[in-house]
Amino acid sequence: MSRQRIPLITELPLVIWLVLVWGALWQDFGPGTLVFGAIIAYAVVNFFYLPPVELTGRFNVLWVVPFLGRFLVKLVTASLQVFWLAVSKGPTLRNAVVAVQLRSHSDFLVTATGHAISLIPGSLVLEVDRSTSTLYLHCLNIASAEDADAVRRDVRATEAWLIRIMGSGQDLAALRRERAEQ
Amino acid sequence: MVNDVVVSVLLISGALLSLAAAVGLVRFPDLLSRMHAATKPQVLGLLLLLLALAVEFESWVLVPLLVLCWVFQLLTSPVSAHMVGRAGYRTRHLRRDLLTLDELDDVVARAAVDHGPGAHRQRNGGHAGQEADGVP
Amino acid sequence: MIVAYVAGGILSLAATLALYRAVRGPSILDRVLALDVVLAIIGAALVLNMIVNRHLDNLILLVTVSVIGFIGSVTVARFVTDRK
């Protein structure tokens, strides 16, 4: 089994995350725990080999806070909405499978968007087409084409947020051009 | 005293969200709509319960582990929902009469035609993503 | 603390409903989904127990329960896809 060496810099976010998990599990962030955690994390990353995640190299912290706020608001309203649908509509519910074409072609960004969409109740990623970066979503309570359009707009808005936070420069430029045209 | 009230409210609403999941599980008509009800109110419900824990104990040592617990759920629940949903769609565990629109079905049908008459339709069902990966 | 009884009652009602779906569930995926919910309710009950009895012994258990739920449902979903 031939493995190509991955440079340490692409592994670094994963190692840092593993060290933080280690510290949180021990409920102790002293230097001894962190150093030992770093050794274990390095060993884990090297022994249990995974394909490297290609980050885009950009991360804008300024956009993260409003994104998290929007996410939490959506999470609360949509959870209540699903509860209400379960009580009021129940078996008479109408659903739809909607295809949404995303702008970005980065695997990482498509995954992040799908993840954020799946966490908000009312939509669920069924299938991903990597070649065209299209998400196929199963959505609750879609009665008409307008509802489906609303879902598409919503998903693309979420993607725009994520591009602003950690999209590549190329995607960001595409987003700016699109905004300028409108 | 304020703490007690906050903890009570958080506990009750967290428990109510669990109830929401269970009610959805019983009342919704097919597998995929049940998935919506089952997987996602839990995320908010767990957040509320962990917040109740943090408020009750008022200790900062606790916070990293609580955050870890929630982030773990944030990372895992969409993945398992996607896996179950995909398996459900492929094995036809959904009621087509309840769908107002199915854009994946067209793609599946086209993929079946591209693979010639010998290709079994159900086998190709929803493989659009994997074919792009070059996985047979 | 009356809140504990109310929350416990809600949780047991939820667990009963979820178990009903696990027993009735037409397909194995329905059952897995229902058992996943039961596991999440067990997690909620663990938190409730910690708050009522004022201890923190269940925290690691809480992480473990969510990991078990994840691994369980992914495994079953994989199995269902491969068999068909």
Side-chain angles (χ1 to χ4, degrees):
Chain A
M1 202 163 68
S2 67
R3 295 175 177 175
Q4 77 212 54
R5 299 287 309 169
I6 357 174
L8 188 64
I9 189 76
T10 47
E11 279 178 359
L12 205 58
L14 184 59
V15 170
I16 291 175
W17 161 246
L18 285 174
V19 172
L20 288 181
V21 169
W22 181 258
L25 283 177
W26 282 103
Q27 301 187 17
D28 172 23
F29 285 89
T33 317
L34 289 188
V35 168
F36 195 57
I39 294 172
I40 289 185
Y42 189 72
V44 163
V45 168
N46 276 291
F47 279 119
F48 301 97
Y49 176 79
L50 285 174
V53 176
E54 303 272 339
L55 295 177
T56 48
R58 245 189 90 246
F59 195 82
N60 192 336
V61 186
L62 280 182
W63 287 102
V64 171
V65 176
F67 176 73
L68 284 182
R70 175 180 183 268
F71 178 75
L72 279 180
V73 168
K74 269 186 147 1
L75 191 63
V76 173
T77 50
S79 289
L80 294 178
Q81 206 184 345
V82 170
F83 194 5
W84 175 240
L85 280 178
V87 174
S88 65
K89 282 217 173 169
T92 60
L93 199 66
R94 286 287 175 275
N95 306 317
V97 177
V98 182
V100 185
Q101 171 96 50
L102 298 180
R103 305 176 187 92
S104 173
H105 279 274
S106 132
D107 283 344
F108 179 65
L109 215 77
V110 171
T111 312
T113 312
H115 226 94
I117 296 300
S118 285
L119 280 170
I120 296 166
S123 49
L124 181 87
V125 178
L126 279 186
E127 198 70 58
V128 184
D129 189 343
R130 273 179 70 192
S131 58
T132 57
S133 64
T134 307
L135 295 179
Y136 295 93
L137 307 172
H138 181 268
C139 304
L140 274 185
N141 198 26
I142 302 287
S144 61
E146 285 86 63
D147 290 348
D149 275 341
V151 168
R152 276 191 208 105
R153 266 200 307 279
D154 193 44
V155 172
R156 285 174 67 88
T158 306
E159 197 214 2
W161 275 93
L162 284 168
I163 286 179
R164 276 181 216 127
I165 292 174
M166 49 193 177
S168 62
Q170 218 181 342
D171 288 335
L172 198 66
L175 184 66
R176 292 233 173 87
R177 243 176 290 129
E178 190 181 301
R179 280 290 137 87
E181 278 166 20
Q182 277 170 10
Chain B
M1 281 307 97
V2 180
N3 268 9
D4 277 357
V5 174
V6 172
V7 168
S8 310
V9 169
L10 287 173
L11 270 183
I12 299 280
S13 34
L16 275 178
L17 281 165
S18 285
L19 185 65
V23 169
L25 216 51
V26 172
R27 297 245 320 151
F28 280 149
D30 70 339
L31 174 71
L32 286 172
S33 32
R34 276 179 214 140
M35 306 221 26
H36 289 283
T39 49
K40 277 152 298 161
Q42 305 287 358
V43 176
L44 185 61
L46 189 69
L47 176 68
L48 295 180
L49 288 172
L50 293 178
L51 276 179
L53 207 57
V55 172
E56 171 79 10
F57 285 92
E58 287 182 327
S59 95
W60 285 105
V61 194
L62 211 56
V63 172
L65 193 55
L66 298 184
V67 170
L68 178 76
C69 201
W70 198 54
V71 167
F72 237 88
Q73 216 201 8
L74 280 188
L75 289 177
T76 55
S77 99
V79 177
S80 61
H82 167 67
M83 293 291 287
V84 176
R86 197 169 69 155
Y89 190 89
R90 287 188 189 182
T91 50
R92 311 272 136 175
H93 276 125
L94 79 167
R95 305 245 316 259
R96 294 201 176 270
D97 50 317
L98 296 179
L99 291 179
T100 48
L101 176 76
D102 189 350
E103 291 176 330
L104 185 53
D105 199 37
D106 306 339
V107 180
V108 173
R110 235 180 298 133
V113 170
D114 289 346
H115 279 252
H120 187 241
R121 193 174 160 200
Q122 190 142 4
R123 189 63 209 155
N124 280 324
H127 267 247
Q130 288 201 356
E131 278 161 15
D133 296 349
V135 178
Chain C
M1 202 169 161
I2 197 157
V3 174
Y5 286 102
V6 175
I10 295 173
L11 285 180
S12 19
L13 179 61
T16 315
L17 290 178
L19 281 174
Y20 166 78
R21 178 52 75 191
V23 173
R24 266 289 308 279
S27 73
I28 188 163
L29 290 173
D30 283 299
R31 289 174 217 269
V32 145
L33 202 59
L35 290 178
D36 210 22
V37 173
V38 171
L39 219 49
I41 292 171
I42 290 174
L46 287 176
V47 175
L48 188 64
N49 177 274
M50 276 189 279
I51 289 178
V52 171
N53 294 336
R54 296 202 55 87
H55 64 86
L56 289 169
D57 304 344
N58 293 344
L59 268 180
I60 298 293
L61 217 53
L62 195 60
V63 179
T64 321
V65 159
S66 64
V67 172
I68 289 176
F70 169 66
I71 295 174
S73 47
V74 167
T75 313
V76 173
R78 195 76 224 160
F79 179 65
V80 167
T81 316
D82 280 345
R83 200 182 43 177
K84 264 259 159 163

